[in-house]
Amino acid sequence: MRALHGLYDFLRVMGQMPVQGYGVGMAGNGASIAGVTLNGVNISRIAEEDWTRHVVELGPALAVVFIAYRVTFAGWLASRAWRAMLASGDSLPLILFVCAAVPLVHGQITGHGLVNGFGWLFVGMCMAATRVMGLARADSPAPISTPASLAPDLPFPNLMR
């Protein structure tokens, strides 16, 4: 249950937070280190997971919209990576998506700087790979044929496509 706790923990605080939330940054790591309390309770005890932090900071309605955006964006990126892999025969877009999926959907991509940086870096690389790989098969020129006598002398024949 610990692995799935963050997927439903935000429901616990939905009715307890004001409609407009407490403001961006109030549930972040900096506020926790600074000792910010909400109604006498340390913020790190209220919002440990990122989705719960969204509810505290943005309020219930906007938090649900933002959570839905994160999940929808990850689904869109997954479908692009899958289609690019099928079109090009190269698994790079799917591998990059797998690296980006957890931080993008459920990780602390808005609360922790290192996770944020690497998460968005892999999202960007995955988007670039899906674009390049999706176009690779359609735009690639006819393969260059090399004489059979030259093939054994090439250091990396698989790169001569």
Side-chain angles (χ1 to χ4, degrees):
M1 292 310 290
R2 178 73 176 146
L4 301 176
H5 182 258
L7 297 175
Y8 63 84
D9 183 49
F10 73 99
L11 298 172
R12 173 182 54 86
V13 296
M14 286 289 250
Q16 301 171 4
M17 297 300 131
V19 175
Q20 74 278 7
Y22 285 105
V24 174
M26 286 299 292
N29 294 342
S32 178
I33 291 171
V36 173
T37 61
L38 296 176
N39 301 327
V41 180
N42 190 335
I43 194 66
S44 63
R45 299 183 76 47
I46 296 172
E48 180 181 356
E49 304 288 338
D50 209 36
W51 286 7
T52 310
R53 289 179 185 187
H54 296 330
V55 175
V56 172
E57 293 179 350
L58 304 174
L62 195 55
V64 169
V65 170
F66 188 62
I67 291 167
Y69 166 73
R70 285 177 72 166
V71 172
T72 304
F73 182 61
W76 171 81
L77 191 58
S79 70
R80 279 190 59 134
W82 184 260
R83 284 184 287 156
M85 183 192 69
L86 293 177
S88 69
D90 193 350
S91 60
L92 178 66
L94 201 58
I95 291 170
L96 289 171
F97 171 74
V98 169
C99 292
V102 172
L104 183 60
V105 173
H106 184 254
Q108 294 183 358
I109 203 161
T110 60
H112 189 276
L114 190 61
V115 174
N116 186 350
F118 280 115
W120 288 115
L121 178 70
F122 280 114
V123 167
M125 288 191 311
C126 180
M127 290 176 73
T130 59
R131 176 142 171 83
V132 170
M133 295 299 170
L135 298 175
R137 186 165 297 236
D139 293 341
S140 64
I144 300 170
S145 60
T146 57
S149 62
L150 294 179
D153 295 335
L154 296 174
F156 301 105
N158 60 336
L159 296 177
M160 299 305 291
R161 294 189 231 169

